[in-house]
């Protein structure tokens, strides 16, 4: 789960990370009121979307082509900048051509920037450790630095048994060319690591982390992404979710506790178990078509879940046929078959439906499907199912 910059700053600020004063605003009037509460005389208006590259981004249909982060010098200009952003679509390197709708802005105190650094924490799958990355090349995308100047990225993998220590922070601080009291203030690394672990993060990225004219170290941007598999431990973070930033089908699936990923093919897949789902997608490809989604309904494929799954699959206009491939283990095939029959009737399915069942009570399950009076195409095995569903979309 991703959150907005202003939410990330609020959260990290609670841990003691130095951030500037700022307020979120949903209208231009609120933005002006927010600016009036700040010290000034320089203000920054920042579009809040779940994507980076806002500063260098462009608003769709904006002939002036100004970016999603603007530095201004009066409350009136804050209002004008907010007016130009809210309700508009911002296109950045990370959003793709479609861009993202800006529904709110963050009005922040202006910063006297002396140096822009990069500091990021992530789970490095190669070393199986939380790894801190730092670079003198702040402000630009770290992927670009990695490509053109890999030598400018410092990496420190943290041993989970001994944790992070002051020497890690000093090593990074010296590597970044920090001196004097900035080396001492680089305990920000320790703070971020503590927050990363406690909040079960996947990514914490401060880009840029700046050294101000007064020599302070401040987080000027903040990206925090949580590990979805650990969210159940953090009910208090639930309120930070912004549904409008997600694919509506994927959001629907999250709410129904289904593992769904939208893809761009034409065959909707409903499978139980991630491994079987992957195999199903592969075999659809093998027989010459492509999957419209990955969907693992999990171990409890009952009528209610099957109905939800069908509803999500068929809300995708690209779906031309559905393949159900379910192995009845704990969930018995007769129960699953009843679920499929009930769901197809309720939703009045209009695309061909191929069903392959295997496992406990499979004969009973097949009988239920055969006697349902519905145009369900039964399949004997995985290859048979894939061939039949591909034939159905090709109109054979
Ligand atoms: P993004 O990464 O999405 O482009 P940032 O928050 O990193 O957005 O902002 C882009 C750039 O705008 C920063 O690299 C910095 O130079 C400038 N900037 C951001 N916030 C402030 C601020 N409060 N004061 C001055 N400049 C800022
Ligand atoms: Mg940034």
């Amino acid at each position: 789960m991703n959150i907005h910059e202003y939410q990330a700053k609020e959260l990290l600020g609670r841990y003691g990370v130095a951030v500037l004063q700022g307020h979120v605003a949903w209208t231009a009037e609120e933005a002006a009121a927010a600016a009036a509460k700040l010290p000034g005389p320089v203000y920054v208006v920042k579009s809040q979307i779940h994507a980076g590259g806002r500063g260098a981004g462009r608003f769709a249909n904006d002939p002036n082509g100004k970016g999603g982060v603007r530095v201004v010098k009066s409350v009136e200009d804050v209002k004008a900048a907010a007016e130009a952003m809210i309700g508009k679509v911002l296109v950045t390197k990370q959003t793709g051509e479609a861009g993202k709708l800006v529904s709110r802005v963050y009005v922040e105190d202006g910063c006297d920037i002396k140096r822009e650094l990069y500091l990021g924490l992530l789970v490095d799958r190669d070393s199986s450790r939380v790894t801190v990355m730092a670079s003198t090349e702040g402000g630009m995308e770290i992927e670009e630095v990695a490509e053109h100047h890999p030598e400018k990225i410092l990496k420190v993998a943290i041993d989970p048994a001994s944790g992070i220590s002051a020497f890690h922070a000093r090593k990074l601080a010296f590597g970044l060319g920090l001196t004097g009291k900035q080396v001492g203030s680089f305990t920000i690394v320790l703070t971020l690591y503590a927050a990363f672990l406690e909040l079960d993060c996947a990514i914490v990225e401060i880009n840029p982390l700046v050294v101000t004219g007064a020599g302070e170290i401040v987080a000027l941007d903040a990206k925090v992404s949580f590990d979805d598999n650990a969210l159940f431990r953090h009910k208090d973070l639930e309120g930070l979710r912004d549904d409008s930033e997600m694919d509506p089908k994927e959001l629907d699936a999250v709410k129904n506790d289904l593992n769904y990923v939208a893809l761009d093919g034409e065959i909707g897949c409903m499978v139980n178990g991630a491994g079987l789902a992957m195999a199903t997608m592969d075999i659809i490809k093998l027989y010459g078509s492509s999957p419209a989604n990955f969907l693992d309904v999990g171990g409890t494929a009952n009528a209610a879940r099957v109905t939800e799954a069908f509803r999500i699959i068929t809300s995708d206009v690209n779906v031309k046929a559905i393949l159900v491939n379910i192995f009845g283990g704990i969930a018995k095939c007769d129960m699953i078959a009843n679920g499929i029959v009930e769901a197809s009737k309720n939703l009045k399915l209009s695309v061909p439906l191929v069903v392959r069942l295997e496992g406990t009570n499979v004969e009973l399950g097949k009988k239920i499907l055969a006697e349902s009076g519905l145009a369900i195409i039964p399949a004997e095995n995985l290859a048979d199912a894939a061939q039949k569903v591909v034939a159905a979309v090709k109109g054979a």
Side-chain angles (χ1 to χ4, degrees):
M1 179 176 95
N2 296 323
I3 59 174
H4 289 291
E5 173 199 1
Y6 75 96
Q7 296 167 324
K9 284 181 170 171
E10 211 266 322
L11 199 55
L12 295 176
R14 274 191 246 154
Y15 282 84
V17 172
V19 290
L20 297 175
Q21 275 187 64
H23 305 281
V24 65
W26 295 78
T27 63
E29 288 69 32
E30 276 178 36
K37 286 189 263 177
L38 297 175
V42 179
Y43 311 91
V44 181
V45 185
K46 310 183 77 174
S47 303
Q48 297 297 293
I49 54 170
H50 286 186
R54 296 163 299 165
R58 291 284 171 272
F59 281 92
N61 309 324
D62 182 352
N64 298 324
K66 283 192 198 137
V69 174
R70 298 187 196 173
V71 180
V72 296
K73 297 208 171 102
S74 71
V75 172
E76 293 74 56
D77 288 350
V78 166
K79 194 174 172 191
E83 195 105 59
M85 293 176 186
I86 296 171
K88 308 289 186 333
V89 171
L90 179 59
V91 181
T92 80
K93 248 183 156 175
Q94 293 184 10
T95 62
E97 269 315 303
K100 279 190 177 257
L101 182 71
V102 178
S103 60
R104 63 197 106 167
V105 296
Y106 189 51
V107 184
E108 193 175 56
D109 197 13
C111 182
D112 170 18
I113 303 171
K114 207 163 135 212
R115 287 185 71 192
E116 295 201 357
L117 309 170
Y118 173 92
L119 184 62
L121 282 78
L122 52 87
V123 181
D124 175 23
R125 309 218 172 252
D126 288 337
S127 61
S128 309
R129 287 176 180 189
V130 174
T131 298
V132 184
M133 297 207 299
S135 174
T136 51
E137 309 306 294
M140 65 169 98
E141 277 183 59
I142 198 66
E143 290 80 3
E144 264 168 48
V145 183
E147 198 178 323
H148 303 296
H149 297 285
E151 76 287 354
K152 290 192 173 167
I153 298 181
L154 310 168
K155 276 190 193 177
V156 175
I158 310 298
D159 184 329
S162 47
I164 199 162
S165 302
F167 79 84
H168 291 122
R170 281 196 298 273
K171 188 175 169 186
L172 290 164
F174 290 130
L176 291 172
L178 298 177
T179 50
K181 75 168 186 183
Q182 289 154 15
V183 176
S185 329
F186 219 63
T187 50
I188 182 174
V189 181
L190 311 183
T191 313
L192 289 176
Y193 182 78
F196 190 98
L197 289 194
E198 195 173 303
L199 298 168
D200 289 312
C201 294
I203 294 172
V204 170
E205 188 180 65
I206 309 297
N207 188 22
L209 176 75
V210 301
V211 180
T212 66
E216 308 290 339
I217 291 180
V218 175
L220 214 57
D221 189 6
K223 171 178 171 173
V224 170
S225 177
F226 303 105
D227 181 344
D228 290 337
N229 296 308
L231 276 178
F232 73 96
R233 300 205 288 201
H234 304 281
K235 295 288 179 230
D236 50 322
L237 297 176
E238 199 48 44
L240 300 178
R241 185 189 293 281
D242 181 358
D243 292 349
S244 68
E245 291 276 346
M246 286 179 75
D247 176 308
K249 297 189 294 302
E250 294 188 0
L251 177 66
D252 206 351
V254 168
K255 288 189 173 153
N256 287 290
D257 204 21
L258 296 165
N259 294 313
Y260 175 91
V261 180
L263 300 168
D264 51 15
E266 55 191 359
I267 297 179
C269 303
M270 188 170 91
V271 188
N272 66 340
L276 192 57
M278 299 295 275
T280 307
M281 289 160 60
D282 278 350
I283 202 160
I284 286 172
K285 281 270 193 194
L286 183 69
Y287 284 107
S289 185
S290 55
N293 65 277
F294 165 97
L295 194 154
D296 169 14
V297 287
T300 50
N302 56 28
R305 289 175 68 77
V306 170
T307 305
E308 284 311 321
F310 273 142
R311 205 172 46 70
I312 293 168
I313 290 173
T314 52
S315 68
D316 179 348
V317 293
N318 296 322
V319 168
K320 297 205 184 77
I322 299 174
L323 172 52
V324 174
N325 183 21
I326 289 189
F327 182 82
I330 298 166
K332 299 184 176 55
C333 289
D334 52 325
M335 192 182 105
I336 296 162
N338 279 325
I340 294 170
V341 170
E342 200 182 312
S344 342
K345 282 183 180 160
N346 288 345
L347 294 169
K348 302 189 178 63
L349 276 192
S350 58
V351 293
L353 171 62
V354 178
V355 179
R356 181 248 178 164
L357 291 177
E358 198 54 80
T360 316
N361 295 354
V362 64
E363 291 311 323
L364 190 53
K366 285 181 177 171
K367 189 161 173 277
I368 292 167
L369 294 180
E371 291 171 358
S372 67
L374 296 167
I376 294 172
I377 306 165
E380 283 310 312
N381 53 50
L382 191 47
D384 185 39
Q387 277 169 299
K388 282 178 171 158
V389 77
V390 172
V393 291
K394 305 281 182 217

